[in-house]
Short mmCIF file of all heavy atoms in Angstrom, two decimals:
data_model
loop_
_atom_site.label_atom_id
_atom_site.label_comp_id
_atom_site.label_asym_id
_atom_site.label_seq_id
_atom_site.Cartn_x
_atom_site.Cartn_y
_atom_site.Cartn_z
N ILE A 29 6.93 10.71 0.33
CA ILE A 29 6.52 10.03 -0.89
C ILE A 29 7.12 8.64 -0.88
O ILE A 29 8.26 8.42 -0.47
CB ILE A 29 7.01 10.80 -2.12
CG1 ILE A 29 6.40 12.21 -2.16
CG2 ILE A 29 6.68 10.04 -3.43
CD1 ILE A 29 6.95 13.09 -3.23
N LEU A 35 10.95 6.19 5.06
CA LEU A 35 9.93 5.41 5.81
C LEU A 35 10.38 5.10 7.18
O LEU A 35 9.62 5.20 8.14
CB LEU A 35 9.60 4.11 5.06
CG LEU A 35 8.59 3.21 5.77
CD1 LEU A 35 7.27 3.90 6.00
CD2 LEU A 35 8.38 1.92 4.92
N ARG A 70 15.13 -4.96 19.35
CA ARG A 70 14.74 -6.38 19.55
C ARG A 70 14.40 -6.63 21.01
O ARG A 70 13.43 -7.33 21.33
CB ARG A 70 15.86 -7.30 19.09
CG ARG A 70 16.12 -7.31 17.60
CD ARG A 70 17.38 -8.10 17.32
NE ARG A 70 17.63 -8.27 15.87
CZ ARG A 70 18.77 -8.72 15.36
NH1 ARG A 70 19.78 -9.00 16.18
NH2 ARG A 70 18.89 -8.89 14.05
N LYS A 91 -3.94 -17.75 10.55
CA LYS A 91 -5.19 -18.44 10.15
C LYS A 91 -5.36 -18.53 8.65
O LYS A 91 -5.82 -19.56 8.12
CB LYS A 91 -6.41 -17.76 10.81
CG LYS A 91 -6.46 -17.92 12.32
CD LYS A 91 -7.69 -17.23 12.90
CE LYS A 91 -7.84 -17.58 14.38
NZ LYS A 91 -6.79 -16.97 15.21
N ASP A 115 -16.38 -37.62 10.93
CA ASP A 115 -15.68 -38.29 9.80
C ASP A 115 -14.21 -38.47 10.11
O ASP A 115 -13.63 -39.53 9.84
CB ASP A 115 -15.82 -37.47 8.52
CG ASP A 115 -17.20 -37.40 7.97
OD1 ASP A 115 -17.98 -38.30 8.20
OD2 ASP A 115 -17.50 -36.39 7.29
N LEU A 168 -7.03 -30.90 23.52
CA LEU A 168 -7.81 -29.69 23.32
C LEU A 168 -9.08 -29.98 22.54
O LEU A 168 -10.18 -29.49 22.86
CB LEU A 168 -6.96 -28.61 22.61
CG LEU A 168 -7.63 -27.28 22.31
CD1 LEU A 168 -6.59 -26.16 22.33
CD2 LEU A 168 -8.37 -27.26 20.95
N THR A 169 -8.93 -30.74 21.46
CA THR A 169 -10.08 -31.06 20.60
C THR A 169 -11.18 -31.73 21.40
O THR A 169 -12.36 -31.28 21.32
CB THR A 169 -9.63 -31.97 19.45
OG1 THR A 169 -8.71 -31.25 18.61
CG2 THR A 169 -10.82 -32.43 18.59
N ILE A 210 2.39 -26.93 7.27
CA ILE A 210 2.54 -25.58 6.81
C ILE A 210 3.90 -25.31 6.21
O ILE A 210 4.05 -24.54 5.28
CB ILE A 210 2.17 -24.55 7.92
CG1 ILE A 210 1.71 -23.25 7.31
CG2 ILE A 210 3.36 -24.31 8.85
CD1 ILE A 210 0.91 -22.40 8.24
N LEU A 214 2.94 -25.17 2.22
CA LEU A 214 2.80 -23.73 1.95
C LEU A 214 4.18 -23.08 1.75
O LEU A 214 4.53 -22.65 0.67
CB LEU A 214 2.07 -23.03 3.10
CG LEU A 214 1.82 -21.51 2.89
CD1 LEU A 214 0.97 -21.25 1.66
CD2 LEU A 214 1.17 -20.91 4.14
N PHE A 230 12.95 -17.26 20.95
CA PHE A 230 13.13 -18.57 21.60
C PHE A 230 13.84 -19.53 20.64
O PHE A 230 14.44 -20.49 21.10
CB PHE A 230 11.79 -19.15 22.03
CG PHE A 230 11.17 -18.42 23.21
CD1 PHE A 230 11.74 -17.28 23.71
CD2 PHE A 230 10.02 -18.92 23.78
CE1 PHE A 230 11.15 -16.62 24.77
CE2 PHE A 230 9.42 -18.26 24.85
CZ PHE A 230 9.99 -17.11 25.35
N ALA A 274 6.13 -10.94 2.34
CA ALA A 274 5.77 -10.20 1.15
C ALA A 274 5.43 -11.19 0.02
O ALA A 274 4.49 -10.99 -0.77
CB ALA A 274 6.88 -9.26 0.74
N TYR A 276 4.37 -14.28 0.35
CA TYR A 276 3.08 -14.87 0.65
C TYR A 276 1.93 -13.96 0.30
O TYR A 276 0.96 -14.37 -0.38
CB TYR A 276 3.03 -15.24 2.15
CG TYR A 276 1.67 -15.67 2.63
CD1 TYR A 276 1.16 -16.91 2.25
CD2 TYR A 276 0.88 -14.84 3.40
CE1 TYR A 276 -0.11 -17.31 2.72
CE2 TYR A 276 -0.35 -15.20 3.84
CZ TYR A 276 -0.88 -16.45 3.50
OH TYR A 276 -2.12 -16.82 3.90
N GLY A 286 -8.40 -13.40 -8.86
CA GLY A 286 -8.88 -14.40 -9.81
C GLY A 286 -7.83 -15.23 -10.46
O GLY A 286 -8.14 -16.01 -11.37
N GLY A 312 -17.48 -9.01 6.66
CA GLY A 312 -17.79 -10.44 6.87
C GLY A 312 -16.53 -11.22 7.09
O GLY A 312 -15.42 -10.68 7.09
N GLY A 316 -10.06 -17.29 7.07
CA GLY A 316 -8.82 -16.73 7.48
C GLY A 316 -8.69 -15.24 7.17
O GLY A 316 -7.61 -14.65 7.41
N TYR A 342 -5.68 -5.12 -0.69
CA TYR A 342 -6.60 -4.44 -1.53
C TYR A 342 -6.45 -4.98 -2.95
O TYR A 342 -5.60 -4.47 -3.73
CB TYR A 342 -6.38 -2.92 -1.50
CG TYR A 342 -6.59 -2.31 -0.11
CD1 TYR A 342 -5.51 -2.27 0.77
CD2 TYR A 342 -7.82 -1.83 0.26
CE1 TYR A 342 -5.69 -1.75 2.06
CE2 TYR A 342 -8.00 -1.30 1.56
CZ TYR A 342 -6.91 -1.23 2.44
OH TYR A 342 -7.09 -0.70 3.70
N ASN A 344 -8.10 -4.83 -5.77
CA ASN A 344 -8.30 -3.92 -6.91
C ASN A 344 -7.14 -2.98 -7.13
O ASN A 344 -6.90 -2.50 -8.21
CB ASN A 344 -9.58 -3.08 -6.70
CG ASN A 344 -10.84 -3.93 -6.72
OD1 ASN A 344 -10.83 -5.09 -7.14
ND2 ASN A 344 -11.95 -3.38 -6.25
N ARG A 374 1.71 7.15 1.49
CA ARG A 374 2.99 7.12 0.78
C ARG A 374 2.85 6.33 -0.54
O ARG A 374 3.45 6.72 -1.57
CB ARG A 374 4.07 6.53 1.65
CG ARG A 374 4.49 7.44 2.82
CD ARG A 374 5.44 6.70 3.75
NE ARG A 374 6.68 6.34 3.07
CZ ARG A 374 7.71 7.13 2.83
NH1 ARG A 374 7.65 8.41 3.21
NH2 ARG A 374 8.80 6.68 2.24
N PHE A 376 0.14 6.02 -2.40
CA PHE A 376 -0.65 6.75 -3.42
C PHE A 376 -0.05 8.12 -3.78
O PHE A 376 -0.48 8.75 -4.75
CB PHE A 376 -2.07 6.93 -2.95
CG PHE A 376 -2.85 5.65 -3.00
CD1 PHE A 376 -3.16 4.94 -1.86
CD2 PHE A 376 -3.28 5.12 -4.23
CE1 PHE A 376 -3.85 3.73 -1.95
CE2 PHE A 376 -3.95 3.94 -4.32
CZ PHE A 376 -4.25 3.24 -3.18
#
Side-chain angles (χ1 to χ4, degrees):
I29 298 173
L35 177 58
R70 291 172 174 168
K91 291 181 173 68
D115 292 334
L168 179 149
T169 295
I210 206 159
L214 183 61
F230 289 5
Y276 170 72
Y342 299 88
N344 294 345
R374 288 174 62 80
F376 287 105

